Amino acid sequence: DLATSKELRRTLAAELAVWCVAFSPDGKTLVCGTGDRMLRFFDVESGEERLRRQEGGGVTGAAACAPDGASFATACVDRKVRIWDPSGKELRTLEGPREDVRLLAWSPDGTRLASAELEGNVHVYDVPRGKPVAAPGRHEKVSCLVFTPDGRRLLSAGGDKTVRVWDPETGQLLARLDPDEQEADLASAKAGVSSGDAALRQMKAAFERQKELLGRGNTTRRDYDQAEAALRSAEAQLDQAHSDLKQAED
């Protein structure tokens, strides 16, 4: 119970380790892959094991439930991804991975399934057709794989301390987010605002001085115009610096 931190039930799946688990959205079915490479289906309410499967040499380290709860995806020893219904019936086999699959992620509409291999290769499948859609590329030591809520982007996080944004339909890399680079960009943007603010204060003082001198007839119109132009330029540069800072913060 997440509210009380109380353990509600303990299910003995196997004497070996549990490698992966996935709940159905309604919370009634639990699927897990165990150290004996068995795929086990449990009734959450009773804790009873309903059935077990070991197609394709058994399950490895990845399982995920479709958003509508109508199917589960598991990575198998034969390097194929299998789709099951909650009763344990195999619905479809997806081929394509060349290495062991370690991560699986469904798109929000349940039509796409992304996988990440042990070596970092990412694949996207059209589940209804059972065909590959795209192979976005390689991301070293992928540790997380997720679709955006609208399903238009696929994000992967890796051991290289970056997050990569992919187009799941074409496989194109759209962005590479590096925390170290982002921090450097943010520091640079803040320095730009500080510098721009100092320059603006200086230009304002120079302009006010020229304005005073012009009123007394002690300067030329040309010098006054140049001071005003420098002030406007400093204002524009500070506005740009603030825009750069907002972008860096976002």
Side-chain angles (χ1 to χ4, degrees):
D1 186 303
L2 295 180
T4 64
S5 298
K6 179 182 178 181
E7 180 180 314
L8 301 178
R9 185 171 293 102
R10 182 174 300 188
T11 299
L12 182 61
E15 294 181 356
L16 301 177
V18 176
W19 287 347
C20 58
V21 295
F23 271 105
S24 61
D26 61 9
K28 295 181 179 180
T29 301
L30 172 69
V31 170
C32 67
T34 52
D36 55 0
R37 300 190 183 280
M38 195 71 69
L39 177 65
R40 301 166 188 264
F41 291 75
F42 289 91
D43 180 277
V44 175
E45 183 65 27
S46 67
E48 295 181 358
E49 181 178 330
R50 295 207 307 258
L51 62 108
R52 60 182 67 177
R53 304 295 296 270
Q54 202 172 28
E55 276 76 1
V59 68
T60 55
C65 183
D68 62 2
S71 55
F72 290 87
T74 62
C76 296
V77 176
D78 60 1
R79 297 177 179 174
K80 296 178 182 178
V81 176
R82 286 179 166 79
I83 310 296
W84 315 81
D85 70 11
S87 71
K89 178 183 177 182
E90 183 177 337
L91 302 176
R92 189 168 289 106
T93 299
L94 307 177
E95 302 188 24
R98 297 185 296 274
E99 302 289 340
D100 290 342
V101 172
R102 288 294 182 243
L103 295 169
L104 293 168
W106 289 88
S107 64
D109 64 3
T111 64
R112 298 290 185 266
L113 179 70
S115 70
E117 299 175 8
L118 179 62
E119 296 301 318
N121 295 308
V122 178
H123 298 271
V124 180
Y125 301 91
D126 180 325
V127 177
R129 295 176 58 241
K131 301 291 184 180
V133 175
R138 181 186 177 93
H139 192 173
E140 181 182 359
K141 298 179 181 177
V142 179
S143 58
C144 183
L145 197 64
V146 63
F147 281 88
T148 53
D150 61 8
R152 297 177 58 191
R153 299 290 182 261
L154 175 67
L155 280 67
S156 62
D160 59 354
K161 300 180 181 180
T162 68
V163 174
R164 303 190 184 190
V165 183
W166 311 88
D167 183 324
E169 298 302 312
T170 66
Q172 180 183 0
L173 177 63
L174 302 176
R176 179 180 179 275
L177 309 179
D178 186 322
D180 292 336
E181 291 181 3
Q182 289 181 311
E183 289 181 5
D185 290 344
L186 181 58
S188 177
K190 288 180 178 179
V193 169
S194 179
S195 176
D197 188 56
L200 180 59
R201 289 198 301 270
Q202 183 179 356
M203 293 303 103
K204 280 183 176 179
F207 174 70
E208 290 300 328
R209 176 61 177 166
Q210 285 295 320
K211 185 178 180 180
E212 181 182 346
L213 291 174
L214 184 64
R216 297 205 305 258
N218 294 332
T219 189
T220 66
R221 185 70 191 189
R222 178 184 178 185
D223 288 341
Y224 173 87
D225 290 343
Q226 287 179 342
E228 184 177 24
L231 174 61
R232 303 305 172 221
S233 177
E235 290 173 338
Q237 290 177 9
L238 182 58
D239 287 343
Q240 182 60 52
H242 278 293
S243 177
D244 293 342
L245 176 58
K246 185 178 185 305
Q247 183 176 356
E249 289 174 335
D250 291 344

